[in-house]
Every structure is written in C-alpha cells, then in structure tokens.
C-alpha cells in the first residue's frame, strides 16, 4: 500500500481565490491549477492499495467484507434450543383466547 497525502487547496478561478470542496493530491491539482496553494492544516494521509491483492484484502476487512465471513466475529451457536423455542403441537390458550377459536384457526380453510 502506498501512503497518499491529500489536502484542501486554494485555487484561482476567474481572478478570485477559492478553496476546493474536496481534498486531493498535489499531482492531481497541479494538472489543472498550477497556481494552487496547499492548506497545510487540512492534511489527510490515506493508505491506498496498489495491487489487486491489497484491494481484496482491504475489501475483506471493511464492514462490507465482514458479511462474506459472518462467523469471524459471531460467538459459536449451540444446537440446543431454549425451552420456549421448542415447537409446540397445536395452539395453546395462554393469552386468553378461547381454545375452540384457536382450534378452528388450525384447520385449513380454502378461500
């Protein structure tokens, strides 16, 4: 990876000095604006991948890349389910609904 230094720049447009809205490297800004002046307090140093392998390694370590390997940061799962997650046979009237109404809902009703 190479280290890229990016700054905001003062550039002259139509005789007036303006500050760029985006940071860019000296090589990029000097192509279009050779008179550009660097703003020293705006330095940002970025690690930029140079090869395809470095690019893919960066992709794997970003938040998007974590989805490719979900087990990397998750605790191991167990096969035993808690008692409340066990499947029940038939509906129960635990919330105050009459059992005969629940039983009628279990039947297949063609529409």
């Amino acid at each position: 990876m190479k280290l890229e230094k990016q700054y905001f720049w003062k550039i002259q447009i139509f005789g007036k000095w303006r500050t760029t809205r985006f940071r860019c490297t000296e090589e990029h800004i000097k192509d279009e604006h050779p008179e550009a002046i660097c703003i020293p307090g705006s330095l940002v140093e970025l690690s930029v991948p140079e090869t395809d392998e470095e690019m893919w390694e960066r992709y794997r370590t970003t938040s998007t890349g974590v989805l490719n390997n979900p087990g990397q940061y998750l605790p191991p799962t167990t096969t035993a389910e808690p008692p409340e997650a066990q499947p029940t046979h038939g509906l129960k009237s635990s919330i105050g609904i009459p059992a005969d109404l629940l039983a009628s809902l279990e039947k297949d009703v063609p529409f």
Side-chain angles (χ1 to χ4, degrees), residues 2-18:
K2 70 176 183 176
L3 191 65
E4 190 174 89
K5 295 181 179 184
Q6 296 184 353
Y7 296 91
F8 286 119
W9 297 84
K10 291 275 190 188
I11 57 174
Q12 194 171 21
I13 300 176
F14 301 118
K16 293 187 179 183
W17 287 94
R18 308 277 184 196

Side-chain angles (χ1 to χ4, degrees), residues 59-60 64-70:
Y59 175 75
R60 283 190 289 274
T64 305
V66 171
L67 298 175
N68 290 332
N69 188 6

